[in-house]
Amino acid sequence: MNIKKINGFTLQQVSRDVWAIDEFGIDIMYLIIGTERALLIDTGIGIGNIRSVVETMTHLPYDVVNTHHHYDHVGGNGCFSMVYAHKKAIPVIQEQNNLQSRKEFFRSQEARPEYNYEASLEFDASIIGDFEMKGIEEGFVFHLGNRDLEVLDTPGHTKDGICLLDRKYRLLFSGDTVVSTPVLMFDTFSDTMSTYLESLKKLAQLRNSYELIFPGHYLRPIGSIYIDDQIACIQEILEKHLLGE
């Protein structure tokens, strides 16, 4: 079986030494296990103890990275001593790391139909931790031994969004830059549609470097047709001046 449960989290092996970690229906994190190190992509909203999951799955040293600053991708950072993120994301992540912001976000998640109620939002909303952050940007590489994860700047959904590319095993970890549902683009911290279009075109140009896309929510994996659809959609919006209508 390629599915297992650890402390309430549902794990599914989705590629060679790659596990999708479903955080009680709300979001998906990914654990990539190399021969020398491992990498956890995103930390969810912080329900339960994601660190215990990682350390059950591997005894290797590991790194943790956030794909962008939204709280459903960084809320579990307090389980770890140090977390990587785009240098633009760090001030926002640090500002969010307080009990009031955490409790408000947790309350907003309880109504989500995806949430499976297998963990207590109310209990975990009151737990917060300190962590060091280290800024990265395009070109940074996480070396795991037999595989590398390359950072790509992909602003749009947020100004600090990144994807991670595994060229050897032909995998793209897209955070919320590419998902199987509409992408939120009018948040306070979103970038322009034109910037997002350029990020998608960058991913399209790298198409020969990956076969599967692993997003931060919903279906996984997905194909590059989602990138094509998003490009076509944004071009239609910009060419016909549909913004604001």
Side-chain angles (χ1 to χ4, degrees):
M1 292 290 290
N2 69 335
I3 295 178
K4 61 175 68 181
K5 285 269 195 179
I6 299 177
N7 296 340
F9 292 85
T10 302
L11 284 73
Q12 180 182 22
Q13 187 170 11
V14 290
S15 185
R16 179 175 178 179
D17 296 318
V18 178
W19 292 84
I21 305 172
D22 188 318
E23 187 192 30
F24 307 98
I26 293 177
D27 51 69
I28 304 169
M29 299 159 274
Y30 294 94
L31 178 65
I32 301 103
I33 302 173
T35 53
E36 297 177 13
R37 297 187 69 83
L39 178 67
L40 176 67
I41 300 177
D42 286 331
T43 64
I45 77 169
I47 315 176
N49 187 343
I50 183 59
R51 179 174 178 173
S52 69
V53 176
V54 174
E55 294 180 358
T56 297
M57 292 298 296
T58 181
H59 297 295
L60 291 171
Y62 59 87
D63 296 309
V64 182
V65 62
N66 299 144
T67 58
H68 58 296
H69 76 264
H70 282 162
Y71 205 80
D72 54 340
H73 295 259
V74 308
N77 284 3
C79 290
F80 305 97
S81 58
M82 200 273 284
V83 180
Y84 289 88
H86 194 282
K87 60 182 183 179
K88 292 181 180 179
I90 291 176
V92 187
I93 294 172
Q94 291 173 330
E95 183 180 352
Q96 293 175 149
N97 191 41
N98 63 79
L99 279 176
Q100 180 180 348
S101 296
R102 184 175 177 87
K103 288 179 178 180
E104 288 175 358
F105 186 84
F106 271 49
R107 281 195 292 269
S108 74
Q109 299 302 292
E110 194 162 12
R112 288 179 65 157
E114 304 93 339
Y115 173 45
N116 63 22
Y117 290 88
E118 292 181 11
S120 171
L121 282 170
E122 182 177 356
F123 176 80
D124 288 302
S126 300
I127 300 174
I128 198 163
D130 293 322
F131 48 91
E132 178 187 352
M133 296 218 65
K134 189 168 184 178
I136 55 176
E137 53 190 330
E138 181 152 326
F140 185 89
V141 178
F142 291 95
H143 300 288
L144 307 187
N146 61 328
R147 65 201 307 166
D148 294 331
L149 276 294
E150 174 187 345
V151 173
L152 305 172
D153 284 358
T154 53
H157 175 64
T158 61
K159 294 181 176 69
D160 49 47
I162 62 170
C163 294
L164 293 113
L165 177 62
D166 183 337
R167 294 178 185 265
K168 179 176 180 179
Y169 291 99
R170 303 178 58 77
L171 309 175
L172 179 70
F173 298 89
S174 63
D176 285 357
T177 298
V178 184
V179 293
S180 61
T181 59
V183 175
L184 174 65
M185 281 300 301
F186 299 102
D187 180 58
T188 304
F189 294 96
S190 297
D191 216 317
T192 65
M193 295 292 279
S194 296
T195 299
Y196 183 40
L197 178 60
E198 292 307 308
S199 293
L200 293 171
K201 287 181 176 178
K202 176 195 291 186
L203 296 180
Q205 290 169 357
L206 289 166
R207 184 163 318 200
N208 290 334
S209 298
Y210 59 88
E211 295 177 5
L212 298 175
I213 301 172
F214 292 97
H217 299 277
Y218 308 112
L219 295 179
R220 79 277 183 184
I222 58 177
S224 57
I225 186 66
Y226 286 93
I227 295 176
D228 297 336
D229 288 347
Q230 288 284 54
I231 289 173
C233 176
I234 295 172
Q235 287 176 330
E236 182 87 356
I237 291 170
L238 294 176
E239 290 168 6
K240 296 189 176 181
H241 306 288
L242 298 177
L243 287 173
E245 296 184 8

